[in-house]
Amino acid sequence: MNGKKSEIKMSRREFLGLSALGLGISLAGARPATAVRAASPDEVAILYDPVKCVGCKACQMACKRWNRLPNESTDPLRIYESPWGLSAITWNIIKLRRTEVGWHFFNYQCMHCADAACVEVCPTGALSHDPLGFVSLDRDKCNGCGYCTQFCPYGVPHLQVANLLTGEAKSAKCTLCQDRLWAGIGGPSCAEVCPVGALTWGKRGELLEKARARVTELQSRGMNARIYGENEAGGLHRLSILLDEPEQYGLPSVPKTPAFARAWQRVIQPLGNVAFGAALVGILGAFLFVRRKIRMEEVR
Amino acid sequence: MTVQLKGRAEAITIQWIPKYTFMERLGHWLHTATFVPLAVTGMILYFPFLQPLAQGEAGLLIRLVHRIAAVIFGLLPILYFIIQPRRLLLNIREFLPNKDDLGWLKGAPAYYLLGRHEAMPPQGRFNAGEKMNGLVMIIAWFVFGLTGLPMWFGKGVIPPELYRWLVVFHDLAMIVSVCMFLVHLYLAVAHPLMWAGLVSMRFGVTSADYAAEHHAKWYYGPKRAMEIWEAKKREAAQH
Ligand code: HEM
C-alpha cells in the first residue's frame, strides 16, 4: 500500500473470459441482415390509373365499410380533401394533386412493398409478407412500438393509442383486405367497388402488362406517363400510373427508409451494447483485480 | 458520536461525523428506487433480445411501471426544490466541475485499482467522480423528462421522425446514465476503499478518519488539505 510499486496481474484465462463476455454482450443485440425480396408475377396486386379516376371516393367508403373504420371529423374548409390524409382509421384516400397536366385525383393506400421496411423492423412479426404478396398486419400480435410508422418510406402505417397509461397502441394500415383474399370472397374492396376501373386488382404480372399498354397509349396522347412501383422497394403490390415525376405525388423516386430511423439500429444500439459491455467488463475486472490488490485490513 | 468496537487484540474507535442531511438521503434513495425500475423496464423495451418480455400483457405492465416510476422520478427534484431550494442549489453547485477535478482523473487508476493514496489529490464533500455522477444524473433528468413526456403523450400524434429522435435521445441518456450507475454501484457497495460511503448515505454520518482520507478538502478545508497531501507525497517519494 505505502507507495510500493505494484503491477497489474491478471491470468490469461480471466482476461480471455472477460473479453469473451464483453464481446457477447456487444453482439447480443445485433440483428442479422435480411436478403432483398422481390415481387413475383403471380402475386395479388392493385393497379391505379388516375386518368380514369373520377374522384367519387367510393373506394374510400368501401374501405371504411369493410374494415369497420369509424368516420373522421371533416374540415369544412377542405371540403374535398377530407379527411386530410391517411390515418389510423383512414386507410384509403383520394387527394387532389397538381402535376404537369393540371389538377387531378390520386388515390393513396399502402404500397405493399415486396421488400417492406415495416416488415423488416417489426419486432413481433405482426407485419409480414403474405405468400399472396401483400404486407399483412396481424393486430393481435402488434405491440404498438411504432417502428413501422417511423421506417415506412411512404408514411403509411399509423399508431392508434388505446391507453395512455399503459402506452397500449396498435399499428393500423391497409391490408389489401387480407380477410377477403384469404377467405376467397373477392378482391380488395376499394378495387371491387370502383365504378370506372381506375382501381383494378389481379395478378401482378398481368396488371403490369396492362399498365405498360396504358402508359404507351397515354404517351401517344402526349402525356408524360410512367409506371410507379414496378421495381421500387422490391416491387410494389400497389402499382400506379403517374403523369409526372413521382415527387409531384409526394412519392419518392427511390423509396428509402429515413436515415434517422436507421441511425437508431445501426449506431445507437451497437453503441449502447459496446458501452454496457465495456462498463460490465471493466467493473468485473476491477472487482477481481482490486480484491487482490487492496486489503481491507490496511484501509482506514 | 463515538462507537467502540472491541476486538480480541485491540479496540477500534470510530468517530462519526455528520455528512448528509435527512432530505439528501431520502432524495438519494427515492431517486435510486425509481431509477432502477425505470432502467430495468426501459431496457426491456430497448434490447431487441428482451423483446419477448415487452409483448402483450407483460409489455403493458412494463410500460405502466415505467410511467408510474417516471412520475415520481420526475417530481423528486421538483419537490426537493420546493422544500429546500437553497440546499438543492448548493448541491448543484457542489457538482459543477473545476480544474482541480483533472487531478482526480489522473490519480484515479492508481488510487482505485492499486490503493495508492498519495496519487489522489484532496477531494471535497463529493470527489470528482461523484460530482461527475451527480452532474450526469442532473442532465439525464432533464433529457429523460424532455423526451419522455412527449413520447408518452405524443405517441401516434407527433410526426414519426420527431418521435424517433426523441427515442434516440432517451436511449442515449439511458446508456450514459446506466453505465454511470453501474460504476457508482460497484464503488458504493463493493470497492474496499469506499467502505464508508454506503454507511453515510444510509445513516448520514461518516468516519472522521475516512473523511480526512477521502474528503480532505471538506474535512480540513482546502488549504490545510493541500499541505497534508504535499507532505504525504514527499513521504511516499522517499520510500
Ligand atoms: C422523467 C422520466 C421518464 C419519462 C417521462 C419516461 C418516459 C418514457 C416513455 C413514455 C417511454 C416509451 C414507452 C413506450 O414504448 O410506450 C420510455 C421508454 C424508455 N425509457 Fe423512459 N422515461 C423516463 C425515465 C427513464 C429512465 C430514468 C430510464 C433509464 C435509466 C429510461 C429508459 C427508457 C428506455 C431504455 C426506453 C425504451 C426506448 C426504446 O424504445 O428504445 N427512461 N420512457
Side-chain angles (χ1 to χ4, degrees):
Chain A
M1 200 92 335
N2 309 321
K4 92 179 160 255
K5 285 263 181 299
S6 330
E7 2 167 347
I8 296 181
K9 271 204 221 101
M10 191 187 279
S11 76
R12 206 157 66 173
R13 233 183 48 207
E14 272 170 16
F15 177 76
L16 288 176
L18 284 176
S19 313
L21 179 69
L23 201 67
I25 293 168
S26 308
L27 291 179
R31 137 202 300 277
T34 40
V36 177
R37 300 178 80 262
S40 81
D42 284 337
E43 292 168 346
V44 177
I46 286 185
L47 171 63
Y48 176 66
D49 183 342
V51 183
K52 288 187 178 161
C53 182
V54 294
C56 70
K57 287 185 179 255
C59 47
Q60 222 172 296
M61 293 300 298
C63 173
K64 288 241 175 201
R65 221 161 109 184
W66 179 261
N67 295 298
R68 293 188 203 86
L69 300 171
N71 45 357
E72 281 186 60
S73 63
T74 304
D75 179 352
L77 294 179
R78 301 202 180 277
I79 276 297
Y80 189 80
E81 289 200 314
S82 67
W84 182 234
L86 294 179
S87 75
I89 52 170
T90 298
W91 300 349
N92 186 307
I93 195 164
I94 296 205
K95 288 179 69 80
L96 281 165
R97 282 289 170 186
R98 193 195 175 98
T99 67
E100 239 181 64
V101 297
W103 287 99
H104 63 87
F105 301 114
F106 200 80
N107 170 289
Y108 292 87
Q109 64 190 131
C110 173
M111 295 294 183
H112 296 283
C113 317
D115 189 35
C118 62
V119 174
E120 189 196 328
V121 297
C122 179
T124 66
L127 285 158
S128 61
H129 291 289
D130 191 89
L132 289 173
F134 58 88
V135 176
S136 150
L137 171 59
D138 180 348
R139 296 251 267 164
D140 290 337
K141 282 193 194 160
C142 175
N143 74 349
C145 69
Y147 295 164
C148 51
T149 66
Q150 295 157 10
F151 282 73
C152 174
Y154 298 103
V156 165
H158 282 77
L159 267 192
Q160 194 168 20
V161 174
N163 186 329
L164 264 184
L165 257 191
T166 58
E168 183 178 5
K170 297 275 176 207
S171 176
K173 73 165 193 75
C174 155
T175 66
L176 218 73
C177 287
Q178 60 189 20
D179 40 358
R180 294 171 65 92
L181 294 170
W182 287 334
I185 302 173
S189 37
C190 54
E192 292 274 19
V193 82
C194 180
V196 292
L199 279 166
T200 48
W201 74 282
K203 288 199 169 149
R204 190 172 183 275
E206 290 165 15
L207 290 181
L208 265 176
E209 264 170 48
K210 198 168 118 185
R212 281 193 202 103
R214 178 72 170 155
V215 162
T216 320
E217 184 202 331
L218 292 174
Q219 282 171 345
S220 72
R221 279 161 58 183
M223 285 186 233
N224 198 359
R226 71 202 71 192
I227 302 175
Y228 185 81
E230 182 166 6
N231 300 309
E232 285 79 2
L236 307 180
H237 293 83
R238 155 55 207 263
L239 300 162
S240 313
I241 289 170
L242 306 186
L243 307 175
D244 203 339
E245 299 296 326
E247 280 71 19
Q248 293 303 113
Y249 295 88
L251 301 171
S253 313
V254 183
K256 269 196 296 233
T257 313
F260 65 82
R262 298 276 170 198
W264 180 76
Q265 281 191 320
R266 301 254 162 91
V267 183
I268 304 294
Q269 278 272 326
L271 192 90
N273 294 337
V274 168
F276 289 132
L280 285 178
V281 169
I283 290 166
L284 209 68
F287 176 72
L288 294 174
F289 181 76
V290 167
R291 222 165 44 153
R292 267 176 292 171
K293 278 291 168 223
I294 306 178
R295 263 180 286 281
M296 212 48 210
E297 301 85 57
E298 299 170 24
V299 171
R300 279 217 290 175
Chain B
M1 179 167 43
T2 303
V3 177
Q4 293 207 332
L5 296 169
K6 290 210 163 63
R8 242 176 309 148
E10 61 195 309
I12 305 171
T13 306
I14 299 183
Q15 207 210 333
W16 299 104
I17 57 171
K19 186 167 179 201
Y20 295 121
T21 67
F22 174 74
M23 287 305 282
E24 278 175 330
R25 285 178 287 140
L26 187 68
H28 176 269
W29 291 119
L30 286 176
H31 184 260
T32 315
T34 49
F35 181 84
V36 171
L38 277 168
V40 170
T41 52
M43 282 161 99
I44 291 174
L45 300 174
Y46 168 85
F47 280 116
F49 73 98
L50 290 179
Q51 271 294 332
L53 289 175
Q55 302 313 328
E57 299 286 312
L60 297 185
L61 184 67
I62 280 161
R63 289 181 169 89
L64 180 65
V65 171
H66 196 84
R67 281 160 171 75
I68 294 173
V71 171
I72 309 172
F73 180 87
L75 284 181
L76 278 178
I78 297 172
L79 288 178
Y80 190 45
F81 176 72
I82 293 172
I83 301 170
Q84 300 189 334
R86 266 176 54 80
R87 258 277 153 201
L88 179 66
L89 293 180
L90 277 175
N91 287 143
I92 292 174
R93 236 189 17 220
E94 278 181 292
F95 291 145
L96 295 181
N98 56 42
K99 65 177 189 307
D100 283 1
D101 296 336
L102 289 175
W104 177 89
L105 215 58
K106 255 174 36 197
Y111 176 69
Y112 286 100
L113 291 178
L114 306 172
R116 275 197 237 134
H117 283 259
E118 77 287 350
M120 181 53 71
Q123 299 292 314
R125 188 165 80 117
F126 294 108
N127 67 43
E130 290 166 334
K131 285 167 63 174
M132 199 154 71
N133 185 46
L135 207 60
V136 164
M137 286 301 167
I138 291 172
I139 296 169
W141 181 82
F142 282 105
V143 177
F144 281 129
L146 289 178
T147 57
L149 287 175
M151 279 161 71
W152 182 345
F153 297 102
K155 197 170 180 171
V157 181
I158 51 180
E161 304 93 276
L162 179 60
Y163 196 89
R164 179 79 298 190
W165 280 114
L166 294 174
V167 174
V168 163
F169 281 100
H170 206 78
D171 286 347
L172 279 176
M174 185 275 289
I175 291 166
V176 173
S177 65
V178 168
C179 284
M180 204 76 214
F181 172 76
L182 290 172
V183 175
H184 181 73
L185 185 73
Y186 161 67
L187 288 172
V189 304
H191 198 282
L193 288 182
M194 303 285 109
W195 66 274
L198 198 56
V199 176
S200 46
M201 204 36 101
R202 286 171 65 198
F203 304 110
V205 293
T206 194
S207 139
D209 278 352
Y210 179 89
E213 187 67 50
H214 294 265
H215 302 283
K217 252 160 70 181
W218 172 61
Y219 187 75
Y220 294 113
K223 203 160 148 274
R224 177 93 186 95
M226 281 314 276
E227 288 166 15
I228 293 173
W229 185 53
E230 294 297 339
K232 206 178 347 179
K233 271 202 301 198
R234 275 198 300 277
E235 193 195 328
Q238 279 163 13
H239 280 278

